[in-house]
């Protein structure tokens, strides 16, 4: 392996570490840089475990049920523990919220240590792992604003527009680390030959409009009239308006939104009528929808509930669910017209 000027590995491209260091003028916060590098490092450990899950007994469920009432997977618990330890080790994080933990975890008794609050979904879409499907880690970073144990109410339940960084890791045919720290969205692909993330998708911009919609069509009869009319419109043939859209649905939010980010279109998880636990959809605001919405907005897209910008929502509880329409600006705006009675 040769190196060129400034330690950049000429034949391997720009690594995540080099990128974050080079971005100093746009990225002055050394602590945030260190935190993102630690998340990147931890994701490489998780990537290996995901890849070997079937061989090391990480498939299947533990028999326990999480706060969401969902079967907990061996991989969920293991990856949560790995991420918690990794964040604690940095001494940069005072509190963590996770899909796998009912309450926020404070790393020191008085929450005086660590500048950041990190919300994570350790392995999103883990039900796909048993069938060798794509899964992902989603992370959201906010600054701690308060002090002492009472700071949770002010610091964890912050709006998505308070995030200072967010992103995801997609464990698919290749492992891809995508993040934004409020200026651009960059994607890195794990180069197994050197064990480093290498810049593969610089300055990602989502197409203004796409040709794909992504939603679990099986929930059609539980949707509101507006949702059904919007999906019927997208799937109806009409050459003049470039319809029908193609339908793609992996059932793994990271996979579906990564495709949407690269190719355009929109991903939806609407609320359901009938008063069940999915009245506000299935996906959680703090550690799934807000971070993914932040990334998509930074790439020029939009993230909405249908009537409200996701990043403007004031969270009221840690595991709060919200309806999601996220993707190309023109496509999200189109669907919002159905929810606003303009179509
Ligand atoms: P459904 C995975 O379980 C997940 O949390 C997201 O990754 C995904 O978008 C969604 O749920 C899929 O849910 O109800 O369509 O199986």
């Amino acid at each position: 392996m040769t190196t060129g000027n400034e330690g950049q590995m000429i034949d391997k491209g720009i690594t995540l570490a080099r990128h974050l260091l080079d971005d100093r003028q746009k990225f002055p916060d050394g602590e945030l840089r260190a935190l993102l590098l630690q998340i990147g490092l931890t994701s490489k450990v998780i990537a290996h475990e995901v890849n070997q899950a079937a061989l090391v007994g990480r498939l299947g469920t533990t028999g326990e049920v999480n706060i969401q009432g969902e079967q907990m997977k061996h991989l969920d618990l293991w990856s949560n523990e790995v991420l918690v330890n990794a964040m604690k080790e940095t001494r940069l994080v005072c509190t963590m919220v996770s899909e796998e933990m009912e309450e926020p975890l404070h790393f020191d008794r008085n929450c005086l240590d660590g500048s950041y609050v990190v919300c994570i979904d350790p392995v999103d879409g883990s039900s796909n792992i048993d069938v060798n499907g794509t899964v992902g880690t989603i992370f959201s970073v906010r600054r701690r604003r308060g002090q002492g144990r009472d700071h949770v109410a002010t610091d964890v339940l912050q709006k998505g527009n308070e995030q200072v960084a967010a992103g995801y890791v997609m464990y698919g045919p290749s492992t891809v680390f995508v993040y934004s720290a409020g200026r651009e969205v960059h994607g890195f692909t794990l180069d197994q030959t050197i064990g480093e993330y290498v810049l593969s998708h610089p300055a990602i911009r989502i197409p203004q409009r796409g040709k794909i919609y992504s939603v679990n069509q099986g929930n059609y009869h539980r949707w509101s009239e507006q949702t059904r009319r919007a999906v019927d419109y997208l799937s109806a043939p009409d050459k003049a308006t470039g319809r029908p859209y193609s339908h793609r649905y992996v059932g793994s939010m990271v996979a579906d939104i990564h495709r949407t980010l690269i190719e355009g279109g929109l991903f939806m998880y609407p609320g359901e009528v009938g008063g069940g636990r999915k009245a506000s959809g299935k996906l959680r605001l703090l550690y799934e929808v807000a971070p993914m919405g932040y990334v998509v907005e930074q790439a020029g897209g939009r993230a909405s509930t249908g009537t409200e910008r996701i990043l403007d929502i004031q969270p009221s509880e840690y595991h709060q669910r919200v309806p999601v329409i996220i993707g190309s600006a023109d496509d999200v705006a189109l669907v919002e017209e159905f929810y606003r009675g303009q179509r």
Side-chain angles (χ1 to χ4, degrees):
M1 178 174 25
T2 55
T3 58
N5 302 330
E6 299 163 2
Q8 186 176 329
M9 291 179 274
I10 326 173
D11 55 349
K12 290 296 182 185
I14 299 173
T15 62
L16 177 62
R18 167 55 65 209
H19 166 84
L20 292 175
L21 283 170
D22 285 352
D23 226 353
R24 193 169 289 128
Q25 66 281 8
K26 286 191 287 182
F27 208 136
D29 183 337
E31 284 191 345
L32 184 56
R33 242 194 338 258
L35 187 55
L36 287 170
L37 278 175
Q38 182 79 338
I39 293 171
L41 174 64
T42 312
S43 71
K44 290 190 273 190
V45 174
I46 295 174
H48 178 267
E49 204 70 8
V50 164
N51 183 263
Q52 299 293 298
L55 302 174
V56 295
R58 293 269 188 239
L59 295 181
T61 59
T62 63
E64 295 172 70
V65 173
N66 67 14
I67 172 87
Q68 333 291 340
E70 296 161 345
Q71 283 292 328
M72 294 188 87
K73 299 274 185 177
H74 287 291
L75 197 62
D76 288 335
L77 282 181
W78 176 85
S79 53
N80 186 67
E81 192 177 334
V82 166
L83 279 160
V84 163
N85 292 335
M87 294 299 97
K88 184 172 186 175
E89 185 182 282
T90 64
R91 296 184 63 78
L92 296 174
V93 178
C94 72
T95 297
M96 278 184 81
V97 171
S98 166
E99 180 182 36
E100 306 309 330
M101 301 189 295
E102 194 161 340
E103 295 296 326
L105 174 64
H106 303 286
F107 287 128
D108 78 86
R109 207 165 46 81
N110 299 311
C111 289
L112 298 175
D113 232 356
S115 312
Y116 297 101
V117 173
V118 173
C119 302
I120 54 163
D121 185 353
V123 177
D124 177 72
S126 54
S127 52
N128 291 293
I129 198 74
D130 294 354
V131 295
N132 197 32
T134 295
V135 294
T137 296
I138 306 173
F139 59 90
S140 166
V141 183
R142 292 168 173 81
R143 280 192 197 293
R144 169 164 63 86
R145 288 185 308 201
Q147 281 205 323
R149 301 296 291 248
D150 65 349
H151 88 87
V152 173
T154 57
D155 283 359
V156 171
L157 300 177
Q158 293 183 36
K159 292 182 180 180
N161 57 30
E162 299 274 343
Q163 293 173 106
V164 292
Y168 59 87
V169 182
M170 181 172 155
Y171 309 108
S174 60
T175 299
V176 176
F177 179 95
V178 175
Y179 90 96
S180 177
R183 291 177 187 77
E184 294 173 314
V185 178
H186 301 289
F188 300 77
T189 299
L190 184 59
D191 181 336
Q192 304 284 5
T193 64
I194 57 172
E196 289 287 353
Y197 282 114
V198 176
L199 185 63
S200 53
H201 300 74
I204 298 173
R205 300 297 293 172
I206 186 171
Q208 188 67 18
R209 186 186 165 198
K211 298 185 174 58
I212 296 171
Y213 76 100
S214 183
V215 70
N216 183 340
Q217 201 78 30
N219 296 330
Y220 186 90
H221 295 288
R222 291 198 288 271
W223 291 338
S224 68
E225 176 63 22
Q226 297 97 324
T227 302
R228 287 204 297 268
R229 290 180 57 244
V231 172
D232 290 345
Y233 177 85
L234 293 169
S235 52
D238 177 79
K239 271 200 175 138
T241 52
R243 289 179 290 143
Y245 281 50
S246 296
H247 180 246
R248 296 282 184 280
Y249 192 69
V250 177
S252 173
M253 186 186 194
V254 167
D256 283 319
I257 290 188
H258 184 69
R259 180 199 57 249
T260 303
L261 189 69
I262 302 300
E263 296 192 351
L266 71 157
F267 168 83
M268 299 170 68
Y269 207 108
E272 297 180 2
V273 298
R277 67 192 176 100
K278 296 205 283 187
S280 296
K282 174 182 180 183
L283 303 176
R284 273 66 62 156
L285 176 60
L286 277 181
Y287 43 79
E288 291 174 331
V289 181
M292 298 307 264
Y294 179 87
V295 169
V296 169
E297 279 203 1
Q298 290 297 328
R302 291 183 62 180
S304 165
T305 63
T307 56
E308 184 179 11
R309 180 181 176 236
I310 291 287
L311 300 191
D312 290 338
I313 297 174
Q314 173 57 56
S316 54
E317 52 184 65
Y318 311 128
H319 301 286
Q320 175 177 346
R321 300 169 193 260
V322 291
V324 190
I325 299 138
I326 187 169
S328 295
D330 290 358
D331 294 319
V332 173
L334 170 74
V335 171
E336 283 179 327
E337 289 177 10
F338 287 90
Y339 286 97
R340 292 183 173 139
Q342 296 155 354
R343 275 184 184 260

